[in-house]
Amino acid sequence: MDIRSIGVVGAGQMGNGIAHVMAVAGYEVKLNDIDGEALERAMTLIAKNLDRQVSREKITAEARDAALARITTTQDMAEIGPCDLVIEAATEQEAIKHKIFESLAPHLGPDTILTSNTSSISITRLASRTDRPERFLGFHFMNPVPVMSLVELIRGIATDQPTYEACLGVVEKLGKTAASAEDFPAFIVNRILVPMINEAVYTLYEGVGNVRSIDRAMKLGANHPMGPLELADFIGLDTCLAIMNVLHDGLADTKYRPCPLLTKYVEAGWLGRKTKRGFYDYRGDEPVPTR
């Protein structure tokens, strides 16, 4: 299938990054969100990130202007349906994702491919509630999308080969690299990464080290570019908790039990950078550990 137009549902951290890279690669992009202000913020951020790429000579000013011109925003789901490829990039809550695909159903073209940017939820289960499980795929970008080179492609049990190959072609056109994953909880990256973060939170919870010493130990001792608690704040503690719950529920193994301290931070609304507080407090000039 020749993919030319792409609909992105959700204009948050992931959705705006996906719209950005798709437009730079030459696709016509429709960016959707129920919140008009979220769409305005997304376009402002996309323009800012494109300007940064121009300043670093990653793209030309002409390419920046052309990319911005390829993105249109809409709050109407009906405008997303006719796109060749739809990427759902809403919050990591299964009920919300099902609702999005249900609302898209009456507007879809006969050959439209549906995908989800979910970081952990079953692709087979999401696909089963649509009219086209064979044309449904997990399309998991890494954050921040314009910078990270990997995309996980996750086949559901019904996903057909042409759908996989069409999406693989998109990844290649973006200049990114695909990793194929089977449809098991959290796939590859988060199956490995988020339990490590959860273990770092347990290390904090049990008093083995404080926030600063845990992050410093992993940056200098394991050569990680970011410490695990710093990374958790960047990802969003609510997202980390959601993924741990998916792993715990889906695999029924106690090693995936979310740390109670992670749960407490989420209950407090301390979700990391996006709320200005998490394992660090970001309200001042420099991040300050909260424990």
Side-chain angles (χ1 to χ4, degrees):
M1 181 178 176
D2 185 20
I3 294 174
R4 297 180 181 178
S5 59
I6 293 178
V8 181
V9 181
Q13 190 175 38
M14 296 303 294
N16 75 65
I18 294 168
H20 171 152
V21 298
M22 292 295 181
V24 169
Y27 293 103
E28 295 297 323
V29 179
K30 288 188 181 292
L31 180 59
N32 168 273
D33 202 285
I34 57 173
D35 183 352
E37 291 184 1
L39 289 170
E40 291 178 11
R41 289 194 299 271
M43 291 306 298
T44 300
L45 185 57
I46 290 169
K48 179 181 176 182
N49 288 337
L50 286 167
D51 285 342
R52 183 181 293 117
Q53 288 183 311
V54 171
S55 69
R56 294 177 179 175
E57 299 183 348
K58 301 289 187 182
I59 61 173
T60 64
E62 291 78 12
R64 172 199 61 201
D65 296 342
L68 281 172
R70 291 188 194 105
I71 304 173
T72 57
T73 61
T74 178
Q75 292 178 259
D76 185 359
M77 197 71 80
E79 293 185 27
I80 299 295
C83 292
D84 299 325
L85 170 66
V86 175
I87 303 171
E88 171 273 313
T91 186
E92 192 70 353
Q93 294 182 34
E94 188 168 343
I96 291 174
K97 295 181 186 295
H98 283 307
K99 188 175 180 181
I100 287 168
F101 290 120
E102 287 167 7
S103 64
L104 275 168
H107 312 294
L108 293 173
D111 298 319
T112 297
I113 293 174
L114 293 178
T115 68
S116 176
N117 184 57
T118 178
S119 53
S120 62
I121 297 168
S122 168
I123 298 303
T124 298
R125 197 161 61 237
L126 289 173
S128 71
R129 298 272 291 270
T130 73
D131 67 343
R132 58 196 67 205
E134 71 285 353
R135 288 197 297 280
F136 196 109
L137 189 80
F139 209 159
H140 181 215
F141 288 82
M142 306 296 119
N143 183 36
V145 179
V147 175
M148 301 295 280
S149 61
L150 183 75
V151 181
E152 283 185 308
L153 295 181
I154 307 103
R155 305 178 203 233
I157 196 168
T159 305
D160 64 23
Q161 189 64 19
T163 295
Y164 174 83
E165 289 177 358
C167 291
L168 178 59
V170 172
V171 174
E172 290 172 348
K173 189 172 178 180
L174 295 176
K176 296 186 183 293
T177 301
S180 296
E182 294 302 314
D183 186 23
F184 291 97
F187 321 129
I188 297 172
V189 173
N190 284 324
R191 171 76 176 265
I192 297 167
L193 176 65
V194 179
M196 183 203 74
I197 289 172
N198 192 57
E199 193 63 27
V201 183
Y202 266 115
T203 305
L204 177 66
Y205 177 62
E206 294 169 3
V208 180
N210 60 29
V211 168
R212 199 177 294 282
S213 65
I214 291 167
D215 277 350
R216 182 176 292 148
M218 293 306 293
K219 283 195 283 189
L220 300 181
N223 205 28
H224 289 192
M226 296 173 71
L229 302 176
E230 181 185 7
L231 180 58
D233 277 356
F234 181 75
I235 293 169
L237 304 193
D238 52 338
T239 300
C240 292
L241 179 60
I243 293 169
M244 287 308 301
N245 281 327
V246 166
L247 283 165
H248 192 237
D249 294 345
L251 298 172
D253 191 324
T254 55
K255 72 179 180 180
Y256 298 116
R257 182 171 67 97
C259 180
L261 183 60
L262 178 61
T263 303
K264 282 296 178 189
Y265 268 72
V266 173
E267 288 173 344
W270 291 18
L271 308 182
R273 286 179 178 268
K274 60 188 173 185
T275 59
K276 304 296 184 186
R277 277 194 290 188
F279 292 113
Y280 292 85
D281 189 325
Y282 299 93
R283 294 174 297 175
D285 294 335
E286 296 288 334
V288 178
T290 55
R291 291 180 84 84

